Amino acid sequence: MAVATVAYRYAKSLLDLAREKDLVADIHKDMLFFKKTVDDSRPLALMLKNPIIRVSKKDAVLRTIFKDKLNPMTMSFIDIAVRKNREGILENIADEFIRLYDGMKGIERATVITTTPLTDELRTKFKEMVAKTTGGQLIELTEKINPKLIGGYVLQLGDRQVDASVRSQLNDLKLSFLN
């Protein structure tokens, strides 16, 4: 079965259980924390995906890192996933849970890449642009800086991307001259 399908099923089950226990916000925070921790620690991410390392070792590492930091229900969920040999997709499950939570709350996430930090006025304009495109009620904008863009911006929204950077325009001009 595809990783995305399995991750979706686990995330959906966790979300349903969290709703039942009225712990949706707590579990969401836990999934954000788990994802950030795995993203920030390449050795942890590699260890979780490594089939040579024993499941008991992975479980012990996860318990050591997260035992006192996560809700007991989240920790139980992680234990079950590890026992079912799904530790390699825990990060995917966290992504799916966050996506399902965002859909439930009407939150749209977008990333803006610019050459300089955004002003409040530009931040507001980007949020309005995303809200108009998606119809989302709440917009969470992640800002990244990439001086290689030269100027302009790149707006990423889900699987869509608007590239209005000077670098992209220069590349297009270069290609047109070559043709």
Side-chain angles (χ1 to χ4, degrees):
M1 206 178 303
V3 169
T5 305
V6 175
Y8 172 80
R9 288 181 180 173
Y10 273 83
K12 178 87 170 83
S13 297
L14 181 60
L15 184 62
D16 291 344
L17 183 61
R19 280 186 188 151
E20 188 178 301
K21 302 286 184 185
D22 198 28
L23 293 170
V24 176
D26 292 342
I27 304 301
H28 179 249
K29 287 178 191 170
D30 289 349
M31 289 292 120
L32 288 171
F33 177 72
F34 180 85
K35 173 122 178 69
K36 182 173 179 0
T37 304
V38 173
D39 286 347
D40 291 347
S41 174
R42 182 163 162 74
L44 177 61
L46 293 174
M47 186 266 314
L48 288 174
K49 292 180 183 196
N50 190 333
I52 297 171
I53 299 173
R54 291 185 180 173
V55 172
S56 58
K57 188 74 159 173
K58 293 177 185 180
D59 189 41
V61 169
L62 289 171
R63 281 183 182 280
T64 303
I65 295 171
F66 296 110
K67 187 173 113 184
D68 298 330
K69 297 176 180 126
L70 300 180
N71 184 300
M73 191 173 97
T74 307
M75 206 57 230
S76 296
F77 175 80
I78 290 172
D79 287 341
I80 291 169
V82 170
R83 274 188 281 146
K84 297 284 185 182
N85 292 320
R86 301 293 189 197
E87 67 280 351
I89 64 166
L90 277 171
E91 187 176 4
N92 302 83
I93 294 169
D95 282 335
E96 277 300 311
F97 184 91
I98 293 164
R99 191 184 63 74
L100 288 170
Y101 177 86
D102 289 350
M104 182 178 85
K105 295 289 186 179
I107 299 170
E108 291 293 335
R109 294 186 188 274
T111 303
V112 177
I113 305 169
T114 58
T115 56
T116 60
L118 293 177
T119 63
D120 289 335
E121 181 183 334
L122 283 173
R123 193 173 293 114
T124 304
K125 284 184 181 180
F126 278 117
K127 284 184 178 183
E128 288 171 359
M129 189 185 315
V130 171
K132 185 177 176 184
T133 303
T134 63
Q137 302 152 352
L138 296 169
I139 309 300
E140 289 196 12
L141 205 58
T142 304
E143 300 173 27
K144 294 183 179 176
I145 296 173
N146 182 354
K148 292 180 182 176
L149 292 180
I150 303 170
Y153 66 90
V154 176
L155 177 64
Q156 298 170 336
L157 178 62
D159 60 351
R160 293 176 279 175
Q161 178 172 303
V162 176
D163 190 345
S165 66
V166 173
R167 179 181 179 190
S168 171
Q169 293 169 5
L170 288 173
N171 284 338
D172 290 345
L173 191 60
K174 181 181 174 183
L175 285 174
S176 69
F177 282 143
L178 289 174
N179 292 332

